[in-house]
Amino acid sequence: MKKILLFILPSLLFLSCKEEDNTVEEYANWQSVNETAFKALYSKAVSNTTDNIDTIRCYSLINKPKTSPEDFIVVERFSAIQEIINRPDTKPGSPLFTDSVSVSYRGNLRPSASFINGYVFDQSFTSDIYNPKTAKPVKFSVASLVPGFTTALQNMQVGDHWLVHIPHQLGYGSTQSSSSSIPAYSMLTFEIILEKYWR
C-alpha cells in the first residue's frame, strides 16, 4: 500500500506543475484593446481646448469587389491623432504627397503581455529620448508609407516633433504586417521628427 502511494504522489506533483505553466497570450483581445485606446485618445483630442493635441483627417483607399467601375475603390474617412511635442518657429510649408522627406522616428504598439511600454517595431534613433545630435534620419517617399503616417507628414513643418496615434484603418488594417510582426488591428504610435523635405 505504501509503495503505491509513493508512486502516485510524484505523478500528481508533475501534473500540478504542468497546469501552472500556462503561457500568456501576447496580444489578448487585441482588436478591442486597440479600438478602446484609440477612442479614448480621440475623445481627449476633440474635447481639448489647447493646440498640442488634435485630430488629423485622413483618407484610406479600400479595395472592394469590382461590380462596377464606381465600386472598385471606395474612399473612407478616418482620423489620426497628433500630439505636438515641439513646433519650432519655422517657415510655413509642409511636404506634399509626391515629395521625399528626411525623418527621425520611432514606431511602437500598445502595451502587451511582454512589452509594458509597447513593442518598438521600427526606429531610426535608439536612445530612450530623441537626441538630434545622435539621431540618424531616414529618407522616405511620402507616398510609400501607411496612410496615417503619410497624412501626418503632409501636416508637419520642418523641425516639428509629433507623437502620432494611427488607428488600424490607417495602418495595416485587419491583416498582420509580415515585414515587422505587427499584429492585425494594431493602433500604431509614431514619434516623428521632420528634418527636411524636397520636391
Side-chain angles (χ1 to χ4, degrees), residues 48-113:
N48 190 49
T49 56
T50 64
D51 293 328
N52 67 328
I53 181 168
D54 202 356
T55 58
I56 305 171
R57 294 293 177 188
C58 307
Y59 292 89
S60 180
L61 298 178
I62 309 297
N63 289 323
K64 289 178 63 179
K66 190 173 180 181
T67 55
S68 69
E70 300 82 34
D71 287 341
F72 187 62
I73 294 180
V74 173
V75 179
E76 293 192 18
R77 186 171 179 173
F78 299 97
S79 292
I81 295 171
Q82 54 89 355
E83 297 180 56
I84 297 176
I85 297 173
N86 184 38
R87 166 158 265 178
D89 188 16
T90 58
K91 294 179 180 178
S94 300
L96 300 175
F97 185 77
T98 53
D99 289 349
S100 294
V101 293
S102 177
V103 295
S104 293
Y105 69 95
R106 172 181 286 135
N108 65 281
L109 304 178
R110 298 289 308 152
S112 63

Side-chain angles (χ1 to χ4, degrees), residues 174-195:
S174 59
T175 57
Q176 178 172 332
S177 166
S178 57
S179 62
S180 53
S181 303
I182 298 172
Y185 302 106
S186 292
M187 178 176 86
L188 310 176
T189 297
F190 282 101
E191 183 176 357
I192 308 171
I193 302 92
L194 178 60
E195 310 284 357

